[in-house]
Amino acid sequence: MKIAGATALVTGATGGIGRAIARELAAQGASLVLTGRRTDVLEPLAAELGARAVAADLSDRDGAVRLMEQAGPVDILVANAGLPASGPLTDFTLEEIDRAVNVNLRVPVVMARLAAEGMTARGRGHLVFVSSIGGKVAAGGTALYNATKFGLRGLALGLREDLRPHGVGVSAIYPGFIRDAGMFADSGVSLPPGLGTNTPGDVARAVTRAIERDRAEVDVAPLPVRFGVVLGGLAPGLFARLQRRGGADRLTRALAEGQRDKR
């Protein structure tokens, strides 16, 4: 669908990736509704882009429903908000598990359900779920995060088929390691040689490309990471052994430590 003239709701707009997505959609002519918890970041961004700001805490059980009521009808939903969830499952409290599953998976499901109703009635619209490369291949020490992001992939692919006859598109975006902003950048972890990173702008451009071209999935990662995704899908056991030999456990432990106070 065309972005120009469409009303787009972006969740997680106060994060670095969310800000990049908002600016890219604004540059393409969308009318924006931006949401996030940090009003000190949200309101200046909304003023910069001529957008409407709706402060929301999506970790609240009813936050998604209240947000959709306040946002009103939207043509594009970009479900970008998410929480870090790296670390062994046994390191998480039950409350932390509920919070991660709620924000990373349940909230996108609820928002998609509410947005899709109006989109199908109008015969147009697009849902975008910002997942992660961790939604295609799993790694030790990230089971909870993998579970939520794998769930988004299943949601997006299934919903795409359900909504296709109604003129509504559905896409999922799979960022790898993103520098300058986002969960990986905030953790301060250094990558092993050869993996490579992308920028928040790369993710934002992938979002607009997915909407305009009705792409089911877009990976935002360098070639070595994308090759790993293919291998992990074809031969998960072999991929896991290669990860262990490459020191993936050290990387995931460092990520968990860097993200501990944000989950």
Side-chain angles (χ1 to χ4, degrees):
M1 64 173 292
K2 291 183 179 179
I3 294 173
T7 299
L9 170 60
V10 180
T11 71
T14 54
I17 293 174
R19 292 196 299 271
I21 292 170
R23 289 186 173 113
E24 181 69 18
L25 288 170
Q28 299 296 324
S31 175
L32 295 176
V33 182
L34 305 179
T35 184
R37 289 181 298 170
R38 297 172 52 197
T39 55
D40 60 319
V41 177
L42 182 66
E43 291 175 356
L45 178 66
E48 172 195 335
L49 301 178
R52 184 156 61 96
V54 180
D57 183 356
L58 295 180
S59 65
D60 186 303
R61 187 72 178 175
D62 298 319
V65 174
R66 288 198 298 269
L67 171 59
M68 294 304 293
E69 290 173 348
Q70 292 177 278
V74 296
D75 304 305
I76 298 167
L77 168 64
V78 182
N80 169 68
L83 290 177
S86 296
L89 184 61
T90 50
D91 283 359
F92 286 80
T93 66
L94 296 184
E95 291 77 12
E96 287 173 336
I97 291 172
D98 285 343
R99 180 177 164 87
V101 172
N102 181 56
V103 174
N104 291 3
L105 183 57
R106 181 183 176 274
V107 163
V109 171
V110 170
M111 295 186 71
R113 161 65 180 83
L114 297 174
E117 189 168 15
M119 290 178 181
T120 55
R122 296 188 296 273
R124 67 188 295 268
H126 205 101
L127 303 173
V128 181
F129 301 99
V130 180
S131 180
S132 165
I133 287 296
K136 287 189 170 185
V137 289
T142 59
L144 178 58
Y145 187 72
N146 290 146
T148 61
K149 296 302 185 177
F150 268 70
L152 277 184
R153 188 183 195 197
L155 172 67
L157 291 175
L159 198 55
R160 181 177 173 86
E161 288 304 302
D162 291 342
L163 298 181
R164 181 182 55 80
H166 303 284
V168 178
V170 181
S171 302
I173 311 299
Y174 300 91
F177 298 105
I178 303 300
R179 63 183 181 269
D180 303 329
M183 296 179 191
F184 166 72
D186 292 344
S187 73
V189 172
S190 297
L191 288 177
L195 283 182
T197 61
N198 287 84
T199 68
D202 294 331
V203 180
R205 287 184 288 275
V207 168
T208 57
R209 187 164 68 249
I211 295 168
E212 292 174 337
R213 302 180 186 178
D214 193 22
R215 296 279 299 276
E217 299 189 323
V218 182
D219 293 346
V220 186
L223 184 59
V225 177
R226 286 185 278 126
F227 175 76
V229 169
V230 174
L231 179 60
L234 294 174
L238 173 61
F239 180 67
R241 289 195 296 273
L242 292 174
Q243 281 189 309
R244 289 194 295 271
R245 292 178 182 176
D249 58 334
R250 292 191 295 273
L251 175 60
T252 55
R253 282 198 302 269
L255 281 171
E257 188 59 34
Q259 298 171 352
R260 188 175 299 277
D261 63 344
K262 298 180 176 66
R263 67 194 193 192

